[in-house]
Amino acid sequence: MDIITAIIYLVLFILMMVFVFSIGMLRQFMPKREVILVLIVAFLIGAIGGAFFLDPIYDELPNVVGTIEKSMPNTQETLYLDLSSSVDTKELRENLSGTEGFKSFKETSISIPMWTFNEREHNYFEDIVGNIDYNYKNYTVNSSSIEISIADNYTSTEALKSFSDWYKLVYGETISYAQVHAVLVVDSTSLDVFEKNLLERGIVATNIEGPIQDSVDNTNSSMLSNMEFTLVCGGLGVVVGLIGIYVDSVVPAYRRFRKFLRERRKR
């Protein structure tokens, strides 16, 4: 939401509260039992105004907090990426490294989809995978896939080729697909640029860690639900209505209080 739209929504809500206040001021011209009706109307107007005008602004609060956090210098965001093995990670690395705000890009592991293992097959792969390539730092054999962590100086393409070559010798077939897990570290101020760059390639980060994401998550966790926020706006309408109802009593009392304070200072 742009700032002009937000201002328009705020002005419209304020005008609704002015209307509620004006209704409250008409109390002296209506029977006392009608006061409850005035408060009900004030609640409904406040709730409707909050739902239509304030709630869209309230929903943008995490984005506003994130935007403020992005302006802070010397902070970094870590993006966790799940890529297809068909993605040219070398070209991707070169493209990302040429973008201002780039810190690092590392391929951490590959997940190779397999068939559903029986117990014998599961035990076999657990025993053999570590011997296929010394660049396999660690590995996990799941029920129908194998995840392999790779060394820092190794690429996912090399890791997949190594496994595929072994698989062809043993089973007579090749494996050409795996999911590549990578970690991208960037300056917080450049996060939007990198997200846009990745999105143009059809890549969306599966998880983001850093001060921006922490601020957004903390804001989201502390926010009221839409229904709760609407009820609060309705309560605000009731408060404004009560002020309008009793303004004739409050204003003179306030003036007397100020006069009392001035006289006390003079003493």
Side-chain angles (χ1 to χ4, degrees), residues 219-237:
T219 303
N220 277 322
S221 64
S222 63
M223 290 177 65
L224 301 173
S225 66
N226 290 342
M227 179 60 70
E228 291 171 335
F229 183 75
T230 299
L231 293 176
V232 169
C233 292
L236 178 61

Side-chain angles (χ1 to χ4, degrees), residues 88-99:
D88 187 343
T89 53
K90 180 180 179 181
E91 188 276 333
L92 177 62
R93 181 195 298 272
E94 292 174 352
N95 180 276
L96 294 174
S97 62
T99 305

Side-chain angles (χ1 to χ4, degrees), residues 184-200:
L184 171 65
V185 181
V186 303
D187 280 336
S188 296
T189 53
S190 302
L191 178 61
D192 288 342
V193 176
F194 283 93
E195 285 187 315
K196 182 180 179 181
N197 189 342
L198 292 171
L199 187 60
E200 290 175 350

Side-chain angles (χ1 to χ4, degrees), residues 9 43 46 49 60 83 94 193 205 215 243 249 262:
Y9 281 4
F43 177 84
E60 291 293 320
L83 312 171
E94 292 174 352
V193 176
S215 298
I243 294 174
S249 303
R262 285 197 299 269

